[in-house]
């Protein structure tokens, strides 16, 4: 009977671990900021393709990579949204020129329009968190007619840039005008937001306890 005490202890430990983990998860889900990734003060980036053709989508991705490399060449984004906004405004001609160079190199036959403004966004999902349709500040680059699927991300705070978010359908029609299209994800990848917290590690703790329990039970029959 003495061997039942450690067994009981392990069962109790498992029960406590499950309770603690469940309570932590429930508390996190009740938090008013639970799941928030993009803060209220943010500057997005959107690049809308001319169309959904394979060629236009490939051009869009090359524009994305060229613009991303340009922005990253400036170094880290400033710490405030005002400074980030000023930095982008001071480089708008350079950003548009970079996009137009890609279009010329690819023989696209259409131009690009780059602007920094509050622009219409359809409903989006970023890192698994839904965001309602509305007007959001963004660096918006429209290629040609802006009628294709788009890539989008977040410049400030620098949650991502070179990694694409989840695919979005063509949504230029959701904007108030064709030139109001901007970047959205079209590459079937999901970007992990920088600075995001990992899930609680309680599952690992429970696994260790379970392994100890199984080992103890096995020792009773050895």
């Amino acid at each position: 009977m003495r061997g039942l005490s450690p067994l009981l202890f392990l069962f109790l430990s498992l029960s406590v671990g499950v309770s603690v983990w469940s309570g932590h998860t429930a508390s996190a889900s009740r938090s008013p900021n639970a799941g928030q990734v993009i803060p209220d003060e943010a500057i997005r980036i959107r690049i809308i393709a001319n169309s959904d053709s394979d060629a236009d989508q490939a051009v869009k991705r090359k524009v994305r990579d060229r613009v991303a490399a340009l922005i990253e060449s400036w170094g880290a984004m400033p710490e405030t949204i005002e400074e980030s906004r000023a930095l982008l405004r001071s480089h708008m001609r350079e950003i548009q020129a970079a996009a137009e160079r890609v279009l010329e190199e690819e023989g696209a036959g259409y131009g690009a329009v780059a602007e920094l403004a509050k622009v219409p966004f359809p409903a989006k999902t970023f890192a698994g968190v839904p965001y309602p349709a509305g007007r959001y500040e963004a660096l918006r680059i429209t290629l040609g007619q802006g009628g294709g699927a788009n890539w989008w991300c977040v410049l400030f705070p620098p949650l991502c840039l070179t990694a694409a978010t989840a695919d979005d359908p063509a949504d230029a029609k959701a904007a108030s005008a064709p030139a109001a299209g901007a970047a959205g994800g079209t590459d079937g990848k999901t970007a992990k937001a920088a600075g995001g917290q990992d899930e609680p590690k309680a599952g690992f703790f429970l696994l260790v306890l379970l392994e100890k329990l199984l080992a103890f039970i096995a020792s009773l029959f050895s």
Side-chain angles (χ1 to χ4, degrees):
M1 297 297 291
R2 288 182 301 173
L4 293 179
S5 179
L7 181 61
L8 179 61
F9 170 77
L10 287 172
F11 273 121
L12 288 175
S13 298
L14 280 171
S15 300
V16 171
V18 170
S19 299
V20 171
W21 178 64
S22 300
H24 177 83
T25 303
S27 175
S29 65
R30 289 193 299 268
S31 172
N33 295 322
Q36 182 174 357
V37 175
I38 305 177
D40 294 334
E41 283 198 339
I43 301 177
R44 306 182 182 197
I45 177 172
R46 300 184 70 201
I47 305 175
I48 286 187
N50 179 60
S51 76
D52 279 332
S53 71
D54 291 344
D56 283 341
Q57 287 295 314
V59 167
K60 177 204 67 183
R61 288 189 288 271
K62 290 183 178 180
V63 170
R64 176 199 68 192
D65 293 345
R66 185 72 60 87
V67 171
L70 173 63
I71 294 175
E72 290 176 340
S73 72
W74 306 337
M77 269 285 171
E79 295 183 357
T80 68
I81 191 170
E82 292 82 7
E83 293 172 325
S84 298
R85 187 181 296 125
L87 176 66
L88 291 169
R89 284 176 176 166
S90 69
H91 287 282
M92 288 305 297
R93 290 185 180 179
E94 189 178 358
I95 292 171
Q96 178 151 335
E100 290 177 339
R101 278 196 298 273
V102 173
L103 300 182
E104 183 178 356
E105 292 167 4
E106 298 299 317
Y110 48 80
V113 176
E115 57 185 316
L116 180 65
K118 282 194 173 182
V119 299
F121 264 73
K124 297 284 188 182
T125 297
F126 182 85
V129 180
Y131 295 88
R135 299 184 68 86
Y136 298 91
E137 186 170 8
L139 169 61
R140 182 176 63 188
I141 304 175
T142 306
L143 308 179
Q145 296 299 312
N150 69 102
W151 177 85
W152 75 284
C153 210
V154 183
L155 285 176
F156 178 87
L159 300 182
C160 62
L161 182 58
T162 57
T165 60
D167 282 356
D168 285 329
D171 62 8
K173 293 180 181 179
S176 59
T186 57
D187 296 319
K189 301 175 184 176
T190 300
K192 179 178 180 181
Q197 295 182 354
D198 293 332
E199 290 295 324
K201 296 300 187 294
F204 175 76
F205 171 72
L206 294 176
L207 179 61
V208 171
L209 287 178
L210 181 59
E211 289 177 347
K212 290 182 178 180
L213 174 60
L214 294 175
F216 173 77
I217 293 175
S219 69
L220 294 179
F221 297 95
S222 61

